[in-house]
Amino acid sequence: MFSATRSSLNVLRTKVGQSTYISAARTVSGQRLKYSITTKTAAALCSQAVRRQPATFGINHVHRFHASALANAKVPFLLADIGEGITECEVIQWFVKAGDKVEEFDRLCEVQSDKASVEITSRFTGTIASLKYKVGDMARVGAPLVEIETADDTVVEEAIAAPDAASASTPAPEEGLKGHSNVIQDMNAVAAMMDNAPGKVSQEVPTAEHILTFATPAVRRVAKENDVDIALIKGSGKGGRVMKEDVMAYIANGRQSTATPKDAPFAASAKSNVAVGEDKVLPLSMIQKAMFKQMTKSLSIPHFGFADEIILDNATAFRVALNDHIAKTPEKYNFKKVSYMPIFIKALSIALEDYPIMNACVIDGDNAATAKLKYRASHNIGVAMDTPNGLVVPNIKNVQNLSVLEIASELTRLQEAGKKNALTMADLKDGTLSLSNVGMIGGTYLNPVVVTSEVAIAAVGKMQRLPRFKMVEENGQMVERVVAQQIINISWSADHRVIDGATVARFSEAWKNVVENPFLLGAMLR
């Protein structure tokens, strides 16, 4: 809290003269008035104003404002930057309410950005004075999230020191009348804030009914789409977690809470609850908003497409050998089997050594006169994943330095985090080349879309056992026969502004050669 007097501020409002007397320690009728203004704001303005005083005006006396940390001061907890380019996020769950005691690192809330959900923890120990947002509100990065009443002097001193340090780097105003006017102007700002302070108490957000309602973001989205207050639903999952079946049962039961046993079959399908011919208008989810923005930008990129097929017979044998090794030493790994993806990813990295332009990105691409290519040293290969919240593309960092088994371990970690909607911003940013495995669901030849931060993306189709001609040895002679082989189709899209078709074809052939001959993975180790 900040203590000052109305009379001192009135003095500061006096017009500029040849000699101005500034006092900030007067009292009114022997009584000091208190105003509810945060130390962070008042200390910054007052200290800045005092520093700006010019010596040329002959100010007789300067009594600095006194800012002291009072017991149980209320400190605003700001929503920190949670990711590259994120300016706002949705509050999807509160773990506290006004009046709750919290300690450092205790969970405050969970927020959902357009890339991932993040749990916000407290930096302070104290009591929750007020919540600044309701569940479902969009919280701005850098704005107060909650207000915490704390008796920790260190916390309050940091709040005072932070603006002082910032203002210390501010260029000093010109000497003369302009500098003196800045003093009065700044003090008028303080005065205006303090004049309005009495009785101004931040309104507490009534969110108690949402405290500790456990549900995944996917389930919350279903509830939001059906205009259901999830706090009214009794969860049937572990620890009272609200399941999708609980939401649909709540709707089917006339919006009356009824907990469904965890293993009981779900009687009513989601389709039966939607009237025929009923239209709905729903806002985009955070993931859909991100896709909307990114794909709109991608329309500015002319795409070049290229497709081919890869024979996986040798890669299959290589994978079987790896899985036999893993089965003998399961304690060493966080996975039970290696899929084909780690082999594809490592082969991509090896091919990038000869074609570094495929790992580049375009800078200032709006104009050919200013456009540049940034060649990136790290092979951060992204893997498209279908999560409960939608499509996300985390990436495996520095693949050029990892073995196939190390890639498999990191891929497993990302997949588990994706299922739990627990991917971090570090997992999602700084990708250099992407690979989609949508063929696991279906499809042969595909048409992936290049994002503006990369110049190429590949998509792998479904694996098929197909007839192919192959030269085989019979009676000491090589003859051509039709044999069954494991085949997958690959589809490339590249930024045709900077990547030509021949480069894509050569790069794809280099990648294909390593996948079809996995012994090269060992031969190319350094």
Side-chain angles (χ1 to χ4, degrees), residues 161-422:
D164 281 345
S167 60
S169 62
T170 304
E174 297 178 6
E175 294 184 357
L177 181 59
K178 181 178 179 181
H180 192 84
S181 298
N182 286 334
V183 177
I184 303 302
Q185 187 177 14
D186 287 344
M187 290 306 183
N188 281 338
V190 179
M193 294 176 65
M194 297 182 70
D195 284 344
N196 295 326
K200 298 291 184 181
V201 181
S202 58
Q203 185 177 0
E204 184 177 323
V205 180
T207 57
E209 67 274 13
H210 293 279
I211 303 301
L212 297 179
T213 300
F214 295 108
T216 65
V219 173
R220 293 180 182 279
R221 182 177 61 189
V222 172
K224 188 173 182 180
E225 289 173 352
N226 289 278
D227 196 23
V228 171
D229 187 348
I230 201 168
L232 302 177
I233 301 176
K234 184 177 180 181
S236 62
K238 183 178 179 180
R241 184 180 296 275
V242 177
M243 313 299 288
K244 180 180 177 180
E245 292 82 359
D246 298 329
V247 177
M248 303 313 297
Y250 176 82
I251 297 172
N253 198 42
R255 296 182 180 263
Q256 294 182 3
S257 183
T258 172
T260 305
K262 185 176 181 180
D263 298 326
F266 184 50
S269 69
K271 292 183 180 179
S272 66
N273 297 314
V274 180
V276 175
E278 179 182 354
D279 295 336
K280 286 187 177 182
V281 178
L282 300 171
L284 298 180
S285 68
M286 296 301 291
I287 296 293
Q288 289 172 327
K289 288 179 181 178
M291 288 180 58
F292 188 98
K293 294 176 184 177
Q294 192 61 257
M295 293 301 101
T296 301
K297 292 178 182 178
S298 294
L299 286 175
S300 64
I301 300 175
H303 282 50
F304 173 83
F306 179 86
D308 200 355
E309 67 177 34
I310 297 178
I311 300 173
L312 290 180
D313 291 353
N314 291 336
T316 300
F318 178 68
R319 176 172 172 259
V320 169
L322 287 178
N323 288 332
D324 286 344
H325 165 71
I326 294 166
K328 295 175 182 177
T329 55
E331 69 280 357
K332 290 185 178 181
Y333 307 102
N334 62 340
F335 52 90
K336 295 181 179 179
K337 289 185 178 181
V338 173
S339 68
Y340 288 95
M341 281 299 284
I343 302 172
F344 296 158
I345 292 169
K346 185 60 182 180
L348 272 177
S349 178
I350 291 175
L352 285 174
E353 296 287 347
D354 293 327
Y355 297 91
I357 192 172
M358 301 295 290
N359 200 54
C361 65
V362 179
I363 301 175
D364 299 329
D366 295 335
N367 191 326
T370 59
K372 303 178 186 68
L373 267 177
K374 180 180 179 181
Y375 288 81
R376 295 177 286 197
S378 296
H379 299 170
N380 299 340
I381 297 178
V383 181
M385 292 184 181
D386 181 29
T387 70
N389 268 7
L391 173 67
V392 295
V393 189
N395 61 82
I396 300 174
K397 302 289 193 297
N398 297 310
V399 174
Q400 74 278 8
N401 299 328
L402 303 179
S403 68
V404 171
L405 293 177
E406 288 171 332
I407 294 170
S409 177
E410 180 65 4
L411 182 61
T412 299
R413 183 189 70 80
L414 293 175
Q415 289 170 336
E416 292 301 318
K419 292 176 184 177
K420 300 174 184 177
N421 197 39

Side-chain angles (χ1 to χ4, degrees), residues 424-496:
T424 66
M425 293 311 306
D427 295 328
L428 296 166
K429 67 179 183 178
D430 299 330
T432 61
L433 181 69
S434 294
L435 181 61
S436 172
N437 194 22
V438 71
M440 292 181 62
I441 301 173
T444 51
Y445 290 103
L446 307 152
N447 190 23
V449 180
V450 180
V451 296
T452 54
S453 60
E454 300 175 8
V455 295
I457 181 174
V460 179
K462 66 181 179 182
M463 185 184 302
Q464 304 175 86
R465 191 163 178 80
L466 299 173
R468 292 292 184 269
F469 286 101
K470 185 178 180 180
M471 299 298 294
V472 297
E473 184 178 355
E474 289 185 1
N475 299 324
Q477 294 183 344
M478 299 301 296
V479 295
E480 191 176 54
R481 292 287 184 264
V482 175
V483 297
Q485 292 185 306
Q486 293 285 351
I487 304 292
I488 60 162
N489 300 110
I490 55 171
S491 303
W492 282 97
S493 289
D495 187 340
H496 210 8

